[in-house]
Amino acid sequence: MKDLQSSLDRPALLSPLNFIDGEWQSALSGETFAVHNPATGEVIANVPDSQPVDARAATDAASRAFPGWREKLPKERAAILRKWYDAIVANGEDLARLISLEQGKPLAEGRGEVAYGASYVAWFAEEASRIYGDIIPQQQRGKRMTALKEPVGVVAAITPWNFPLAMIARKIAPALAAGCTVVAKPAEDTPLTALALLKLAQEAGVPAGVINIVTASREHAAPAVGDWLADERVRKISFTGSTAVGKYLARESAGTLKKLSMELGGNAPFIVFDDADIEAAVAGLMASKFRNGGQTCVCPNRVYVQSAIYDRFADVLSTRVAALKVAPATDEAAQIGPMINARAIDKIVRHVEDALAQGARALTGGKRLTDVGPNYFAPTVLADATADMLLFREETFGPVVPLFRFDTEADALKAANETPFGLAAYFYSQDVRRIDRVSRLLEAGIVGVNEGAISSEAAPFGGVKESGYGREGSRYGLDDYTTLKYVCQGGLA
Ligand code: NAP
């Protein structure tokens, strides 16, 4: 831990403790769990292994803080959010180092994540003052009807490991802007960045109890979060993670009928039509597929290429992929870092072995890189992928591009939509009519047209089908943290 702190410009940024009611504290049991560097497997810190009693203390604090926070003027909440944004930017280099250290992404991407996460805080600082309701045109004399947006209450935010800063920032910022208070649990693999983010929130003047965070090991996550699911004071769950866990949370919280936002898994198709600009399509695929080593929910998982250009596309792509530099984040030239843990590597190996056994051909990569470290996989292009393979049905979450061949637009659309998931979808074409048609017919919450980089704080991010519901970012993102109250005032005639 000392080593880790000394690698930061501001060692005090990191308190390896829960943050509850404005105090940094151990789990009541005193138990901790280890956080590892995925590049080496080394332990870098120990943080509290929280139990239901710690989660309950967080809810107590958030619920006490709620009346005071909701009564603040929107511009007062906005001013605090703005200070938090400034603090994140000012400490950006330390945050980027922490992200890269505990999550493994190259430092340049760590810096990108800081800017991306901070952009949500700046955005919602501005949106805080724009939570409008409606005055409903009068229907009866003597009555005034208004629709008001009110904060939903205490929000439980549960986040994954792949964006340790951005995922939690894009939940806490709208919650605070709307007047909600928060209890949060980051992923077991990446709690340190979230704790540093909370330190900066404290310094920015977020009052005690408004944001609370508890860390927990995978073993204790379900019981700790379970306390929030059953607690009627927690009025909303904002979850980002796998579809299986999202379904479990929806089921288990049904007893208290909470408002839910579910940002779940994807299985994004990426379609390249034969009228596409091939160079642009390869560049877009490289940008969206290999971000975070292929470990993002919007990474293309299935790449469909029209028969006439299949071989040429495969050639250009595999040359680019073979040139990617795989190295730990400490190497400034790294483009692909380690996968998050051994489970992640096992899944990638399973998918690639299954595909090869069923007739796929590895044009480049296809194997682990144990000489680089324990959790590395070679950037891979697999030709002749088919719908019988595991990587067609499941998110691979790694640096593997399977290339499927198709003949007609109808075939491509049918295959792209043949999945229970519907988060992102991409396609490349230069035909305006096709662009309009395919954008409408793809079953996805987000569509990239001749573009691989789609995320923005100003746009609604979220899925359809089993990729979940609710939206993060944009002006729509606040709706998830508010409820509508209808007020009917009579006797005005
Ligand atoms: P995950 O296993 O579902 O975990 C997400 C969070 O839920 C973690 O904090 C995890 O804690 C916690 N959790 C797991 N089981 C739980 C339980 N039974 N009760 C309460 N909490 C529980 O997902 P992940 O592997 O971290 O993240 C990868 C997934 O997230 C992928 O499917 C990806 O597509 C999806 N994702 C979606 C979006 C989006 O915006 N739609 C964005 C990013 C990622 P532990 O870490 O301790 O297990």
Side-chain angles (χ1 to χ4, degrees):
M1 178 69 196
K2 281 222 167 63
D3 286 354
L4 172 58
Q5 282 173 319
S6 63
S7 71
L8 302 177
D9 292 338
R10 279 190 61 206
L13 198 55
L14 195 57
S15 304
L17 293 168
N18 285 339
F19 184 62
I20 299 175
D21 211 6
E23 304 283 344
W24 294 94
Q25 45 192 275
S26 307
L28 220 71
S29 66
E31 282 180 39
T32 60
F33 68 92
V35 182
H36 298 89
N37 176 350
T40 58
E42 283 162 9
V43 173
I44 48 177
N46 289 287
V47 298
D49 197 357
S50 305
Q51 310 247 352
V53 66
D54 304 297
R56 179 76 54 91
T59 312
D60 292 345
S63 128
R64 276 194 305 272
F66 178 57
W69 184 248
R70 70 175 282 167
E71 287 313 317
K72 281 202 181 295
L73 290 174
K75 67 178 175 190
E76 292 170 337
R77 295 198 292 266
I80 293 176
L81 281 170
R82 187 70 208 184
K83 277 196 193 152
W84 190 27
Y85 165 81
D86 290 339
I88 295 169
V89 172
N91 290 275
E93 198 57 25
D94 273 350
L95 291 168
R97 275 186 211 132
L98 271 179
I99 292 171
S100 292
L101 198 67
E102 65 175 348
Q103 197 269 312
K105 65 182 56 156
L107 199 54
E109 287 196 37
R111 292 182 184 121
E113 183 180 343
V114 174
Y116 177 60
S119 73
Y120 283 90
V121 180
W123 176 267
F124 284 111
E126 295 183 357
E127 287 294 301
S129 300
R130 299 183 193 134
I131 305 177
Y132 295 103
D134 282 313
I135 297 171
I136 297 162
Q138 199 172 21
Q139 304 296 318
Q140 287 173 287
R141 295 203 191 287
K143 276 192 185 176
R144 179 183 297 138
M145 299 185 285
T146 48
L148 308 174
K149 287 189 181 170
E150 296 193 333
V152 68
V154 175
V155 173
I158 302 150
T159 52
W161 50 263
N162 62 344
F163 288 90
L165 186 147
M167 294 300 108
I168 201 158
R170 84 180 188 188
K171 296 186 185 312
I172 294 178
L176 263 55
C180 300
T181 55
V182 175
V183 294
K185 190 203 80 67
E188 178 193 61
D189 291 309
T190 58
L192 303 176
T193 311
L195 295 174
L197 201 60
L198 268 275
K199 185 85 170 180
L200 295 172
Q202 184 186 23
E203 290 173 5
V206 174
V210 169
I211 316 176
N212 308 273
I213 191 164
V214 296
T215 56
S217 65
R218 196 149 284 137
E219 188 192 338
H220 288 147
V225 168
D227 202 74
W228 295 339
L229 303 183
D231 194 324
E232 62 191 19
R233 295 172 299 169
V234 175
R235 294 310 318 144
K236 178 185 168 71
I237 298 171
S238 179
F239 174 71
T240 299
S242 61
T243 294
V245 174
K247 286 181 181 176
Y248 162 86
L249 296 175
R251 232 176 13 245
E252 294 296 310
S253 64
T256 50
L257 284 182
K258 302 180 195 311
K259 190 163 174 154
L260 303 176
S261 303
M262 293 286 166
E263 297 282 350
L264 308 179
N267 183 358
F270 187 108
I271 308 170
V272 189
F273 290 102
D274 57 12
D275 56 36
D277 174 336
I278 291 189
E279 279 297 320
V282 169
L285 179 59
M286 295 296 292
S288 54
K289 175 70 220 184
F290 291 102
R291 187 161 170 229
N292 203 12
Q295 303 172 106
T296 89
C297 53
V298 291
C299 277
N301 198 52
R302 297 168 291 144
V303 178
Y304 293 95
V305 187
Q306 204 154 8
S307 300
I309 56 164
Y310 188 93
D311 292 335
R312 206 167 117 225
F313 185 87
D315 258 12
V316 180
L317 178 70
S318 16
T319 309
R320 298 272 173 84
V321 172
L324 287 170
K325 165 123 177 146
V326 181
T330 41
D331 183 336
E332 278 278 353
Q335 292 171 295
I336 305 284
M339 301 296 104
I340 187 69
N341 53 33
R343 280 192 310 164
I345 283 281
D346 288 348
K347 184 177 188 190
I348 298 167
V349 168
R350 197 157 44 82
H351 278 197
V352 171
E353 282 179 355
D354 168 75
L356 293 173
Q358 296 200 60
R361 285 177 296 127
L363 301 183
T364 183
K367 56 183 191 310
R368 291 182 67 164
L369 296 176
T370 40
D371 50 328
V372 187
N375 294 327
Y376 292 88
F377 198 88
T380 298
V381 178
L382 298 175
D384 302 337
T386 70
D388 299 321
M389 297 172 182
L390 277 176
L391 41 68
F392 170 82
R393 293 192 295 278
E394 300 174 12
E395 259 182 316
T396 304
F397 238 55
V400 178
V401 183
L403 296 178
F404 299 77
R405 195 185 294 265
F406 72 91
D407 290 320
T408 67
E409 183 183 302
D411 292 344
L413 275 166
K414 182 168 179 294
N417 290 336
E418 212 164 53
T419 166
F421 300 99
L423 187 57
Y426 308 80
F427 68 96
Y428 276 69
S429 166
Q430 299 191 82
D431 174 335
V432 283
R433 289 203 189 90
R434 170 173 275 164
I435 287 176
D436 174 62
R437 225 171 25 240
V438 175
S439 305
R440 283 188 287 108
L441 294 175
L442 280 170
E443 296 170 0
I446 307 166
V447 177
V449 185
N450 296 327
E451 180 58 65
I454 48 177
S455 291
S456 160
E457 76 282 10
F461 191 103
V464 297
K465 296 162 73 178
E466 293 191 17
S467 291
Y469 38 75
R471 291 294 178 267
E472 293 193 320
S474 80
R475 68 190 175 90
Y476 306 102
L478 274 172
D479 292 343
D480 281 76
Y481 296 89
T482 60
T483 52
L484 260 191
K485 181 182 276 173
Y486 157 50
V487 177
C488 180
Q489 186 179 357
L492 296 175

